[in-house]
Amino acid sequence: MKSRSGIRWMILGTLFAALACGKASAEKAACRTDADCASGERCEGSTETSEEAIYGPCPYVSCDVANTACPNGTVCRERYFDVMQGIPCGNKVCLPPCDPNDASTCAPSELCRDDGTCSPLQCDEPFGISCPEHWRCDPAAALSEPIDRIVGSTVADPPNAGELLSHGCVRKRCSEDDGYVCRASYACRVSESREASGCIAVPCEETGHCADDARFICEPGNDYSRTEGTDENGCVWRNCTDGLPCTLPESPSVYCDPTSPRADVSGCVVVSCADENPCILDWVCDPSSPKADAQGCVVTRGDAGMGGSSGSGGGSGTSGSGTSGGGSAGATSGDDGRGRCVER
């Protein structure tokens, strides 16, 4: 029979073990990724990004939001140095002012300004860039220059158009020497245009051209069916009697007959499998079947997601039926963005 002293020590030992176990469980509860959990557990409900899990939270005050006040001794600046790559900070953070005598405190091609921030070297400043062909140096105008894609000009924007604007370069309008040149279906009307080329789409009656003369026509010569809609110049889609070619790479046996009951919206007809245009692969010729394609072919392999023999689209259309890899809907994260370790 055990003494009272022995029983007392057994009880105390059990309590200490329970406390130790509880402490260990508490330490395991908070997690950022599955690697923070024990074997057989996973991290659920974490709101931290993968960058936060590696680098921790952003060590700087974000000032992406307008009128954000930065702490004394710092200014709102764009991120610029390599050590911040991967750290989950905004584009602008509160940092010490740049040093005019230390080029490393600003990004390459930027200068340290009097307010302690960095900004791109302008084209009219010493050692500034030279603006390319069809562009001119005008830093004041660059502040309001549209960056939208140019569509009305035969001159394409260079791939670094945004960078050129940041350095004070602007596009020469179609009315300027060596400026952007308008497409045939556009006219140079700088005061009316909304794009930086100065070009604007005009009705085809004025120019005799459509956005794509091979696919559109200003004045159709027939009333047969055609694809609905118009281009920006008011042109309608051509049909095969307007010169739209009836061609299908997968089935070259196509001809124009807008009066045929088998014609598509452009008046093109695929030669039937019953007329020496045999089906391919696992398809059989059955023009009377409601499942037949434009050629009259029917697939013989059930609903296997096969495409039509004339190039019709396949696929079972069941995307989205998979399950997500996350935890249960009731999981919540802590105030610090961490999740909890739960059994797999």
Side-chain angles (χ1 to χ4, degrees), residues 130-298:
S130 297
C131 299
E133 185 181 14
H134 308 302
W135 290 63
R136 58 183 170 81
C137 182
D138 190 343
L143 297 175
S144 57
E145 177 81 352
I147 197 172
D148 298 337
R149 184 172 63 93
I150 297 295
V151 297
S153 173
T154 59
V155 178
D157 263 350
N160 64 334
E163 181 182 355
L164 292 173
L165 291 175
S166 70
H167 289 285
C169 296
V170 295
R171 306 171 185 85
K172 291 182 178 180
R173 302 311 193 247
C174 54
S175 58
E176 301 179 61
D177 292 339
D178 193 35
Y180 275 58
V181 179
C182 298
R183 292 165 52 188
S185 60
Y186 281 67
C188 183
R189 299 176 184 175
V190 177
S191 61
E192 302 175 39
S193 176
R194 293 185 178 181
E195 73 173 41
S197 67
C199 303
I200 186 172
V202 295
C204 58
E205 291 82 5
E206 292 188 32
T207 63
H209 288 284
C210 304
D212 183 348
D213 288 325
R215 295 187 300 162
F216 294 90
I217 186 170
C218 187
E219 297 181 2
N222 60 79
D223 295 327
Y224 294 126
S225 69
R226 62 186 71 244
T227 302
E228 294 184 359
T230 62
D231 68 0
E232 58 263 40
N233 305 101
C235 298
V236 297
W237 283 86
R238 292 179 181 270
N239 58 28
C240 64
T241 57
D242 289 325
L244 185 71
C246 290
T247 56
L248 286 176
E250 299 87 350
S251 180
S253 300
V254 187
Y255 62 93
C256 178
D257 183 3
T259 64
S260 172
R262 297 178 51 245
D264 65 13
V265 69
S266 298
C268 297
V269 183
V270 179
V271 176
S272 173
C273 58
D275 297 325
E276 300 181 356
N277 187 19
C279 302
I280 62 173
L281 300 177
D282 297 311
W283 295 70
V284 295
C285 186
D286 187 3
S288 62
S289 172
K291 295 184 178 180
D293 65 3
Q295 188 178 338
C297 301
V298 180

Side-chain angles (χ1 to χ4, degrees), residues 3 10 12-14 46 56-57 68 74 80 85 99 103 105 109 119 133 150 157 180 187 215 228 257 261 283 285 340:
S3 65
M10 286 181 62
L12 290 174
T14 301
S46 176
T68 300
T74 64
Y80 68 99
Q85 295 297 321
D99 183 353
T105 59
S109 74
S119 65
E133 185 181 14
I150 297 295
D157 263 350
Y180 275 58
R215 295 187 300 162
E228 294 184 359
D257 183 3
W283 295 70
C285 186
R340 294 180 179 277

